[in-house]
Amino acid sequence: MKFRSLIIAILLVFSGIHLEAQKVSLERIDPPFWWTSMKNKALQLMVYGENISLSKPQINYPGVHLTEVIAVESPNYLFLNLVIDDTTKAGIFSIDFYKKKKKSVSYDYELKARDKNPNLHQGFDNSDVIYLLMPDRFANSDTTNDNAAGMLDTVDRSNSLGRHGGDIQGISNHLDYLTELGVTAIWSTPLLENNMPKQSYHGYAITDYYKIDPRFGTNDDYKKLVTKAHKKGLKIIMDMVANHCGTGYYWNDDLPSQDWYNQWPEFTRSNYRVAVQSDPNAPQADYDKMVKGWFDHTMADLNQHNKLLAEFLIQNTIWWIEYAEIDGIRQDTYPYSYKDFMAEWMQRILEEYPNFNVVGEVWLDYPPITAYWMDNQTNADGYRSHLTNVFDFPLATAIAQSVNEREGWSTGMMRLYELLSQDFLYSNPLNIVTFSTNHDADRFFSKMNEDYQKFKLGMTFLMTTRGIPQMYYGGEILMTGREHKGHGFIRKDFPGGWPDDTKNAFTSQGRTEEQEEAFGFMRRLLNWRKTSKAVQFGELNQYLPEDGIYVYFRHFEGESVMVILNNISENKEVDLSRFKKDLNGFTKGRSVLSRQSFDSLDKLKVRSKSALVIELVR
Ligand code: CA
């Protein structure tokens, strides 16, 4: 008898474990909803839940076909491949997960109707000036979200690498400041959830690709920001990261399959050598380290050669474009991902949104490498990136060098000239996104050793040469900071963004005399740029610099602008006879910055270390 009870007890325990182990639950489905009438009719759903792979999903909705169910190594995932017919109506259908003919869990999946407004998804272009900001450091307009339930990193404004509390509401509340300044597009560093224990403020260790970080706001807040920005004539560029995710992602402890990440026997960093990706002479080992090495301990390297992950990332991008109605994307660490995947990602975006733009971060100071990544048909290895825009890192370096150094055979203004003389490399030099600094480098005013004349010279060049200019928040009020002291020093809080700030540089009264002067200068330059088709879209004709004087023209449909940069420490009278061809037909001009008029274009005085921007008049 005793023995029998023991057997029964053991059987019960085992069957109990058995039942427990087979309990099916459902935690999430990504993407959480989708749309009808997409050009691409396929949809992959990533289903996550305990033992979900033991269930059999069923969908019963006209025009929605469940064509494939894919189980992976972990029992807690299922991938469902759906096809959505052209005629499928928007609505909600149930995805039912059956186990042994019994429905165990279900999910109400929504197919929304697409917003067919033709003004949406039109991208950014040369008429734009992009304002890069870090949301945690720009403005904290909602102190109730500074900390959020379940988020590991809590607010600590005294820590330069801690969270400071800035949020989407902070951006939303200062759109008028940005339109007054004259920028037309906002690139915010990533806003998606970064539930990492430390340094989560920067946003580049994403832990949920479908969710705005609650310390910044909600998905709905982001969508509302885009709508409000559009009403004010501002575009929104979303920062995305396809190369890596934060190790705080729920995947990390339960990978769908071991090849979801690029795995190494022990932690292996990327060699950060961007050149390797396009190097025809690179050995496999260097390539592997570059592409498969991890960006950081906290940033898991995603293996986009896993087809399920690749589809997840592509759909995630399309989901944000469609959902939030963003105007463009900045893609982080572009050459750190597999380049065939990035090309597919780009093509899929352009298939759905033909006029959309993506600017890729390719951080290396060699124009041939920048050019390699901008879509072209001339790469010797046949690679076509399909990437519409690339940042001009070489030019950013050249701007700081040229304005700071003495004129020489290949120094000073000659640096800018020689750099732009390499524009033949680019499929379209106008599509380059130019900048003087960003969130990873010294503040531009610091690069200029806090010399305001140099600052103005550099910014005038940036805003009048070819490309789509991007500036960095606080540049307009001469914020300073050196990168070598730590990232916190180049990512300081914008003064006035916090309720207890004593100075508010968002207002004229809150700016120092020097800040007010700089803000006024940038406002004049940018607001004029908005009106000048020549400086936005015009062809660039540049003349060889002589004695520190660099002259170039921008021409567009009869509209012309002449720019004279004087990079030496003395005033110069510039004889314009050398520029006859470009001055053809123009006899007068008007200075954009000083508003001074010129009745003759024979000779012009240009003060030391300064610029003349002249709209030419017939
Ligand atoms: Ca806040």
Side-chain angles (χ1 to χ4, degrees):
M1 197 62 182
K2 260 187 182 173
F3 181 68
R4 221 176 119 180
S5 342
L6 186 65
I7 295 286
I8 290 167
I10 287 168
L11 280 174
L12 275 173
V13 167
F14 269 89
S15 65
I17 286 169
H18 192 63
L19 281 175
E20 193 56 38
Q22 298 214 325
K23 194 178 142 244
V24 170
S25 69
L26 178 59
E27 270 184 48
R28 59 186 290 163
I29 294 185
D30 292 320
F33 52 83
W34 198 249
W35 294 268
T36 56
S37 314
M38 299 298 279
K39 291 212 177 85
N40 189 324
K41 303 300 160 205
L43 173 64
Q44 170 191 288
L45 301 181
M46 179 179 184
V47 183
Y48 184 62
E50 199 182 348
N51 289 312
I52 195 72
S53 63
L54 301 180
S55 70
K56 196 169 174 297
Q58 281 188 21
I59 293 170
N60 194 352
Y61 188 80
V64 175
H65 313 281
L66 176 59
T67 55
E68 196 179 10
V69 178
I70 302 166
V72 287
E73 285 168 25
S74 164
N76 305 320
Y77 295 87
L78 269 185
F79 291 84
L80 316 185
N81 284 336
L82 274 54
V83 170
I84 298 162
D85 291 343
D86 282 331
T87 52
T88 308
K89 291 200 165 61
I92 295 172
F93 58 84
S94 181
I95 308 176
D96 299 320
F97 297 84
Y98 286 86
K99 196 167 156 260
K100 288 184 181 161
K101 294 184 178 167
K102 208 178 128 220
K103 197 197 293 181
S104 43
V105 282
S106 60
Y107 184 98
D108 284 338
Y109 201 85
E110 185 179 8
L111 284 179
K112 294 173 186 283
R114 279 185 92 173
D115 188 340
K116 296 265 177 67
N117 181 346
N119 296 323
L120 296 172
H121 323 300
Q122 292 305 302
F124 54 86
D125 64 22
N126 291 88
S127 66
D128 289 306
V129 173
I130 302 167
Y131 190 84
L132 160 62
L133 61 82
M134 298 200 80
D136 183 63
R137 305 299 167 88
F138 187 60
N140 184 6
S141 293
D142 180 0
T143 53
T144 66
N145 64 15
D146 289 2
N147 294 307
M151 295 294 114
L152 301 169
D153 198 5
T154 53
V155 76
D156 178 7
R157 224 182 146 192
S158 67
N159 175 0
S160 75
L161 298 176
R163 292 196 82 96
H164 291 188
D167 43 45
I168 289 172
Q169 195 59 49
I171 303 171
S172 181
N173 285 4
H174 295 95
L175 296 181
D176 290 338
Y177 168 81
L178 297 176
T179 53
E180 186 197 352
L181 174 61
V183 296
T184 63
I186 301 166
W187 154 27
S188 163
T189 52
L191 288 154
L192 297 181
E193 185 196 271
N194 268 239
N195 194 9
M196 302 297 291
K198 277 193 295 190
Q199 297 193 28
S200 67
Y201 78 97
H202 61 60
Y204 289 100
I206 292 165
T207 57
D208 190 335
Y209 277 115
Y210 279 97
K211 189 177 160 213
I212 294 287
D213 194 292
R215 292 157 295 189
F216 290 139
T218 63
N219 286 8
D220 195 43
D221 291 337
Y222 185 58
K223 192 174 159 66
K224 282 180 178 148
L225 169 70
V226 178
T227 306
K228 188 175 169 188
H230 286 174
K231 281 190 183 136
K232 292 179 185 288
L234 291 163
K235 296 173 184 176
I236 298 284
I237 296 169
M238 188 170 181
D239 203 335
M240 291 192 175
V241 192
N243 177 64
H244 50 261
C245 68
T247 49
Y249 217 108
Y250 79 88
W251 296 336
N252 203 62
D253 300 323
D254 186 8
L255 290 175
S257 52
Q258 286 310 300
D259 71 348
W260 199 254
Y261 291 170
N262 282 315
Q263 309 266 12
W264 295 79
E266 56 191 28
F267 175 76
T268 303
R269 260 182 207 289
S270 171
N271 50 26
Y272 308 110
R273 295 292 177 180
V274 167
V276 170
Q277 272 262 37
S278 47
D279 178 2
N281 312 307
Q284 187 68 30
D286 286 353
Y287 170 85
D288 284 350
K289 217 167 181 187
M290 169 60 201
V291 176
K292 301 180 193 175
W294 285 31
F295 204 79
D296 191 51
H297 281 278
T298 56
M299 295 170 177
D301 197 70
L302 294 170
N303 171 21
Q304 306 99 353
H305 279 170
N306 175 312
K307 291 267 180 273
L308 297 170
L309 173 60
E311 193 57 31
F312 174 94
L313 292 168
I314 290 167
Q315 280 183 180
N316 176 257
T317 297
I318 288 168
W319 190 88
W320 280 108
I321 299 172
E322 191 65 34
Y323 168 73
E325 300 177 343
I326 53 174
D327 304 284
I329 290 169
R330 179 262 185 187
Q331 178 64 254
D332 189 54
T333 48
Y334 210 88
Y336 289 75
S337 296
Y338 295 106
K339 65 188 177 190
D340 57 337
F341 165 74
M342 292 315 295
E344 190 195 344
W345 177 79
M346 266 313 308
Q347 283 174 284
R348 290 280 299 276
I349 294 170
L350 293 172
E351 174 195 21
E352 214 66 64
Y353 312 101
N355 300 324
F356 199 77
N357 290 69
V358 175
V359 54
E361 182 200 28
V362 179
W363 187 348
L364 206 67
D365 279 353
Y366 301 113
I369 288 176
T370 314
Y372 179 87
W373 290 94
M374 176 185 275
D375 188 40
N376 68 75
Q377 297 185 43
T378 55
N379 284 335
D381 64 1
Y383 180 62
R384 281 202 64 177
S385 69
H386 299 276
L387 179 61
T388 55
N389 307 75
V390 188
F391 285 109
D392 198 340
F393 276 86
L395 193 66
T397 301
I399 293 173
Q401 286 177 323
S402 64
V403 177
N404 272 323
E405 67 195 4
R406 297 176 81 88
E407 290 295 314
W409 178 253
S410 55
T411 59
M413 290 293 103
M414 197 56 81
R415 263 187 212 283
L416 300 179
Y417 173 86
E418 287 187 343
L419 203 86
L420 295 173
S421 75
Q422 296 168 67
D423 275 358
F424 65 87
L425 290 164
Y426 298 112
S427 52
N428 185 353
L430 281 181
N431 286 349
I432 292 185
V433 176
T434 52
F435 62 103
S436 62
T437 196
N438 64 19
H439 57 310
D440 290 319
D442 290 352
R443 286 281 186 176
F444 188 59
F445 195 44
S446 297
K447 286 188 187 188
M448 297 295 99
N449 299 310
E450 302 188 22
D451 180 324
Y452 182 55
Q453 284 302 113
K454 287 184 183 176
F455 171 86
K456 285 202 292 185
L457 193 56
M459 290 312 267
T460 304
F461 170 73
L462 175 66
M463 297 301 168
T464 56
T465 191
R466 94 301 188 246
I468 304 166
Q470 170 247 303
M471 58 180 293
Y472 183 42
Y473 82 97
E476 70 280 15
I477 54 156
L478 306 177
M479 281 174 74
T480 56
R482 294 280 189 186
E483 195 269 340
H484 70 84
K485 290 178 81 179
H487 274 160
F489 289 87
I490 53 174
R491 301 168 175 180
K492 289 180 199 155
D493 299 343
F494 191 101
W498 276 249
D500 50 352
D501 284 355
T502 50
K503 285 199 170 163
N504 182 3
F506 285 116
T507 68
S508 183
Q509 309 88 286
R511 296 192 275 265
T512 65
E513 207 174 307
E514 205 184 23
Q515 285 175 333
E516 181 67 357
E517 159 64 32
F519 181 84
F521 166 76
M522 291 304 296
R523 180 178 52 197
R524 199 152 60 238
L525 188 57
L526 299 185
N527 280 287
W528 164 74
R529 194 184 182 282
K530 276 189 197 171
T531 68
S532 172
K533 286 270 186 290
V535 90
Q536 293 170 4
F537 298 100
E539 81 175 274
L540 170 72
N541 288 348
Q542 61 166 354
Y543 285 78
L544 271 169
E546 281 183 4
D547 304 326
I549 302 290
Y550 174 38
V551 177
Y552 53 92
F553 291 81
R554 306 291 309 276
H555 301 294
F556 186 81
E557 293 180 358
E559 207 185 297
S560 290
V561 171
M562 172 172 64
V563 182
I564 309 176
L565 305 181
N566 177 1
N567 195 37
I568 60 171
S569 308
E570 60 183 81
N571 302 338
K572 278 275 222 181
E573 188 173 58
V574 182
D575 182 343
L576 300 186
S577 54
R578 190 155 74 94
F579 316 113
K580 239 184 289 174
K581 184 180 169 288
D582 282 270
L583 286 170
N584 186 26
F586 293 105
T587 53
K588 294 177 211 159
R590 191 185 74 103
S591 161
V592 166
L593 298 169
S594 71
R595 299 198 179 93
Q596 189 189 346
S597 287
F598 302 98
D599 292 332
S600 145
L601 294 176
D602 297 334
K603 287 176 178 176
L604 287 177
K605 288 195 181 103
V606 190
R607 276 176 299 150
S608 68
K609 282 281 175 195
S610 65
L612 257 187
V613 180
I614 297 172
E615 279 183 320
L616 299 174
V617 181
R618 285 190 193 276

Short mmCIF file of all heavy atoms in Angstrom, two decimals, residues 58 99 120 131 169 280 336 343 357 364 370 377-378 400 403 423 525 557:
data_model
loop_
_atom_site.label_atom_id
_atom_site.label_comp_id
_atom_site.label_asym_id
_atom_site.label_seq_id
_atom_site.Cartn_x
_atom_site.Cartn_y
_atom_site.Cartn_z
N GLN A 58 -4.47 29.83 -35.31
CA GLN A 58 -5.47 29.87 -36.38
C GLN A 58 -5.99 31.29 -36.54
O GLN A 58 -6.17 32.01 -35.56
CB GLN A 58 -6.65 28.95 -36.04
CG GLN A 58 -6.35 27.49 -36.30
CD GLN A 58 -7.57 26.62 -36.14
OE1 GLN A 58 -8.70 27.10 -36.21
NE2 GLN A 58 -7.35 25.32 -35.92
N LYS A 99 -4.33 24.29 -28.33
CA LYS A 99 -3.53 23.17 -27.90
C LYS A 99 -4.47 21.99 -27.72
O LYS A 99 -5.43 22.07 -26.97
CB LYS A 99 -2.83 23.51 -26.58
CG LYS A 99 -1.71 22.55 -26.30
CD LYS A 99 -0.82 23.03 -25.20
CE LYS A 99 -0.14 21.83 -24.60
NZ LYS A 99 -0.77 21.41 -23.36
N LEU A 120 2.51 62.90 -46.54
CA LEU A 120 3.26 62.13 -45.55
C LEU A 120 4.44 61.39 -46.20
O LEU A 120 4.43 61.13 -47.40
CB LEU A 120 2.34 61.11 -44.88
CG LEU A 120 1.20 61.70 -44.05
CD1 LEU A 120 0.26 60.59 -43.61
CD2 LEU A 120 1.73 62.46 -42.85
N TYR A 131 18.17 69.86 -36.79
CA TYR A 131 18.59 70.21 -35.42
C TYR A 131 18.68 68.90 -34.62
O TYR A 131 17.67 68.25 -34.37
CB TYR A 131 17.55 71.14 -34.81
CG TYR A 131 17.90 71.79 -33.49
CD1 TYR A 131 18.65 72.96 -33.44
CD2 TYR A 131 17.42 71.28 -32.28
CE1 TYR A 131 18.93 73.60 -32.23
CE2 TYR A 131 17.69 71.90 -31.07
CZ TYR A 131 18.44 73.07 -31.05
OH TYR A 131 18.71 73.71 -29.86
N GLN A 169 7.65 65.77 -24.12
CA GLN A 169 6.92 66.99 -23.82
C GLN A 169 7.85 68.20 -23.88
O GLN A 169 7.47 69.29 -24.32
CB GLN A 169 6.26 66.88 -22.43
CG GLN A 169 5.19 67.92 -22.17
CD GLN A 169 4.05 67.85 -23.18
OE1 GLN A 169 3.52 66.76 -23.45
NE2 GLN A 169 3.70 68.98 -23.78
N PRO A 280 38.93 46.19 -50.25
CA PRO A 280 39.04 45.01 -51.11
C PRO A 280 40.16 44.08 -50.66
O PRO A 280 40.24 42.93 -51.12
CB PRO A 280 39.35 45.60 -52.50
CG PRO A 280 39.91 46.95 -52.24
CD PRO A 280 39.34 47.43 -50.94
N TYR A 336 28.42 48.89 -39.38
CA TYR A 336 28.66 47.81 -38.41
C TYR A 336 27.73 46.63 -38.63
O TYR A 336 27.92 45.56 -38.06
CB TYR A 336 28.52 48.33 -36.98
CG TYR A 336 29.64 49.25 -36.55
CD1 TYR A 336 29.70 50.57 -37.02
CD2 TYR A 336 30.66 48.82 -35.70
CE1 TYR A 336 30.72 51.42 -36.64
CE2 TYR A 336 31.68 49.67 -35.32
CZ TYR A 336 31.72 50.96 -35.79
OH TYR A 336 32.73 51.80 -35.42
N ALA A 343 21.28 47.04 -47.30
CA ALA A 343 20.77 47.35 -48.64
C ALA A 343 19.33 46.85 -48.80
O ALA A 343 18.49 47.53 -49.38
CB ALA A 343 21.68 46.74 -49.70
N ASN A 357 13.68 59.44 -46.85
CA ASN A 357 15.14 59.56 -46.73
C ASN A 357 15.68 58.88 -45.48
O ASN A 357 15.04 58.89 -44.43
CB ASN A 357 15.55 61.02 -46.57
CG ASN A 357 15.36 61.80 -47.83
OD1 ASN A 357 14.23 62.04 -48.23
ND2 ASN A 357 16.45 62.18 -48.45
N LEU A 364 34.00 58.07 -40.72
CA LEU A 364 35.39 57.97 -41.13
C LEU A 364 35.68 59.18 -42.01
O LEU A 364 34.82 59.64 -42.75
CB LEU A 364 35.64 56.67 -41.91
CG LEU A 364 37.10 56.17 -41.84
CD1 LEU A 364 37.47 55.74 -40.44
CD2 LEU A 364 37.32 54.99 -42.79
N THR A 370 32.86 57.52 -47.51
CA THR A 370 31.54 58.14 -47.42
C THR A 370 30.78 57.85 -48.72
O THR A 370 29.61 57.46 -48.71
CB THR A 370 31.68 59.66 -47.23
OG1 THR A 370 32.66 59.92 -46.22
CG2 THR A 370 30.37 60.29 -46.84
N GLN A 377 26.32 53.61 -58.53
CA GLN A 377 26.47 52.43 -59.38
C GLN A 377 27.91 52.22 -59.76
O GLN A 377 28.21 51.54 -60.73
CB GLN A 377 25.60 52.60 -60.63
CG GLN A 377 24.13 52.70 -60.27
CD GLN A 377 23.25 52.76 -61.50
OE1 GLN A 377 23.45 52.05 -62.46
NE2 GLN A 377 22.27 53.63 -61.46
N THR A 378 28.81 52.81 -58.99
CA THR A 378 30.21 52.80 -59.42
C THR A 378 31.15 52.10 -58.45
O THR A 378 32.35 52.07 -58.68
CB THR A 378 30.71 54.25 -59.64
OG1 THR A 378 30.48 54.98 -58.43
CG2 THR A 378 29.98 54.92 -60.78
N ALA A 400 36.61 72.42 -38.92
CA ALA A 400 37.31 72.83 -37.69
C ALA A 400 38.78 73.09 -37.97
O ALA A 400 39.35 74.09 -37.49
CB ALA A 400 37.14 71.75 -36.63
N VAL A 403 39.44 76.51 -40.25
CA VAL A 403 39.23 77.81 -39.63
C VAL A 403 40.26 78.06 -38.53
O VAL A 403 40.60 79.19 -38.22
CB VAL A 403 37.78 77.91 -39.09
CG1 VAL A 403 37.54 79.22 -38.38
CG2 VAL A 403 36.79 77.75 -40.25
N ASP A 423 34.04 65.90 -54.80
CA ASP A 423 32.61 65.61 -54.95
C ASP A 423 32.30 64.70 -56.13
O ASP A 423 31.20 64.14 -56.20
CB ASP A 423 31.81 66.91 -55.06
CG ASP A 423 31.46 67.49 -53.69
OD1 ASP A 423 31.81 66.87 -52.67
OD2 ASP A 423 30.84 68.57 -53.65
N LEU A 525 20.84 83.79 -40.34
CA LEU A 525 21.41 82.91 -41.36
C LEU A 525 20.41 81.83 -41.78
O LEU A 525 20.18 81.58 -42.96
CB LEU A 525 22.69 82.29 -40.80
CG LEU A 525 23.59 81.46 -41.71
CD1 LEU A 525 24.04 82.27 -42.92
CD2 LEU A 525 24.82 80.98 -40.92
N GLU A 557 18.43 78.33 -61.07
CA GLU A 557 17.37 78.93 -61.89
C GLU A 557 17.39 80.46 -61.84
O GLU A 557 16.40 81.10 -61.48
CB GLU A 557 16.01 78.39 -61.46
CG GLU A 557 15.88 76.91 -61.79
CD GLU A 557 14.53 76.30 -61.37
OE1 GLU A 557 13.71 77.03 -60.80
OE2 GLU A 557 14.35 75.09 -61.62
#
